[in-house]
Amino acid sequence: MSGKIDLKSFVTLGLERCGGLVEETGYALVQAVLPGELALGESLQLAFDYEVAGENPEAVFVAYGSQFLDNVARMAVGYGRFTAEYHPGPNLKLNRNYDREIAEKVEFVRCRAPRVVHQRPVLHTFWRFCFLAVFHSFERTEELLLLTVDGANGLPVPDFDRWWGGVVPVAEPEYDLPAQGLSLERVYAEACRQAGEAAREKGSLLQQRAAGLLTRELVKVRAYYGQTVRDTERKLESAGDARSERLVKQLEAVRADWDRREKDCLERYAVAVELKLDHLVACRLPRLGLQVEAQSRDRVFTGTLVYNPVASRIETPVCPLCGKATARLVPHADGILVCPEHG
């Protein structure tokens, strides 16, 4: 996005953040179930292009200065930098084929197939970090980077929108469950790492574009100053003593100006990025903590898995010793299942 945040992205992100449901139905056309004071019915169609709005007379045309945009902006400003929202309460029953799901998700090394011996509902948090990346180069560009981290294991959740998108969250849940997860400090560190990688990737694309412009600019600068230096050197060769000193100083000035212009070009087309956290949303969801037992020879080893009822899947477990995510669990002398690094 060049110069300012794309209008459609701003509105859709703002509506989703305030509890609305948004679905893109065509070019510059969005169907939305609106939250709170914006709710004008069950759903509303929004158009972000003048011609598209003309072709869809039932749609609300959203443009700079429109009343609808002013309302969205007012809600976004009043929503704060941190928001917590809750799943209203999913069905916490395991799928019938959970044994197969566990086997597909996790490899139990040197163990028989595990069995679930205990289930406990736990409140987990998915942290949604929205970073604002400002790229400074020959032009100033801004990009919103939206990243989701699983607060239970510190892993990125790239498909979060796919399975959370159909949820209508609530501000206060009817259930009361024990909360569990990593410290926000550790989750934030992971989010910063992800944001840094995303910013570097986008900065690299901008740098490639800048490199082409820089090359063309340097060609012009070198052609102009190269010709000026050659002309001055020819004059110096045929000049008498009276003019030589003046031409030598002129030649030095041209070369100094040449060097300065090239440095200016390099600085102008260099890419620097400023990254800062814009806002944070805590999406809280009950999940099932599964205590499993797996037998290896004459001993039984225990471990913990997590079942996500909204995504209908077993999540990647974490090692109880180092806290790292692992898809392979091995027996440990203490009677627990750990990652291969500690097994």
Side-chain angles (χ1 to χ4, degrees), residues 27-307:
Y27 171 73
L29 203 60
V30 165
Q31 194 76 24
V33 177
L34 305 180
E37 64 189 79
L38 291 177
L40 304 176
E42 292 187 359
S43 66
L44 190 68
Q45 199 169 49
L46 306 175
F48 295 86
D49 179 85
Y50 181 78
E51 293 184 359
V52 171
E55 296 170 356
N56 298 270
E58 73 284 0
V60 174
F61 179 42
V62 183
Y64 293 104
S66 66
Q67 184 63 47
F68 184 84
L69 179 59
D70 290 343
N71 291 339
V72 172
R74 186 176 65 254
M75 286 186 65
V77 169
Y79 213 58
R81 295 292 185 181
F82 172 74
T83 305
E85 56 186 29
Y86 294 80
H87 193 287
N91 182 355
L92 288 176
K93 292 183 179 180
L94 280 171
N95 291 337
R96 292 182 179 179
N97 57 347
Y98 68 87
D99 288 333
R100 188 186 68 186
E101 291 180 6
I102 291 176
E104 291 176 349
K105 189 70 176 185
V106 186
E107 179 186 357
F108 291 81
V109 183
R110 303 193 304 274
C111 295
R112 295 179 183 176
R115 63 190 185 94
V116 177
V117 296
H118 181 67
Q119 304 177 24
R120 183 172 73 111
V122 179
L123 185 64
H124 285 152
T125 302
F126 289 86
W127 298 97
R128 307 203 75 196
F129 296 86
C130 185
F131 289 88
L132 176 64
V134 182
F135 299 90
H136 301 277
S137 185
F138 58 96
E139 63 179 9
R140 184 179 185 274
T141 60
E142 295 180 353
E143 192 85 23
L144 283 177
L145 306 177
L146 185 60
L147 308 166
T148 304
V149 179
D150 187 337
N153 56 26
L155 292 177
V157 191
D159 67 340
F160 180 80
D161 288 325
R162 180 183 61 78
W163 53 266
W164 183 263
V167 174
V168 180
V170 295
E172 296 291 339
E174 296 181 358
Y175 47 83
D176 183 17
L177 296 174
Q180 193 178 78
L182 303 173
S183 67
L184 181 55
E185 180 181 7
R186 178 172 169 183
V187 174
Y188 178 61
E190 169 60 24
C192 288
R193 185 193 65 78
Q194 293 181 46
E197 289 183 357
R200 280 191 293 272
E201 183 178 342
K202 294 178 183 297
S204 178
L205 296 176
L206 184 60
Q207 186 69 71
Q208 293 176 19
R209 182 183 172 196
L213 298 174
L214 172 63
T215 299
R216 288 194 289 270
E217 188 73 17
L218 288 178
V219 167
K220 294 179 182 178
V221 169
R222 289 166 182 170
Y224 171 78
Y225 283 99
Q227 186 61 50
T228 303
V229 166
R230 288 190 293 272
D231 292 343
T232 305
E233 288 175 339
R234 281 196 296 269
K235 292 178 182 178
L236 183 60
E237 290 175 357
S238 59
D241 294 339
R243 296 182 57 204
S244 293
E245 184 177 352
R246 181 174 61 83
L247 288 172
V248 168
K249 291 182 179 180
Q250 181 179 339
L251 186 59
E252 291 175 350
V254 170
R255 285 173 172 161
D257 193 39
W258 185 354
D259 184 61
R260 185 168 53 253
R261 284 292 302 276
E262 286 206 6
K263 288 180 179 179
D264 288 343
C265 288
L266 292 173
E267 291 177 0
R268 182 186 177 197
Y269 290 101
V271 177
V273 61
E274 175 188 352
L275 193 62
K276 63 180 181 180
L277 181 63
D278 182 74
H279 66 266
L280 173 63
V281 180
C283 302
R284 299 200 161 105
L285 163 70
R287 293 192 291 186
L288 275 179
L290 309 177
Q291 184 179 346
V292 298
E293 292 183 349
Q295 186 172 350
S296 178
R297 296 184 180 178
D298 58 346
R299 291 191 64 184
V300 174
F301 297 84
T302 62
T304 301
L305 300 177
V306 174
Y307 175 71

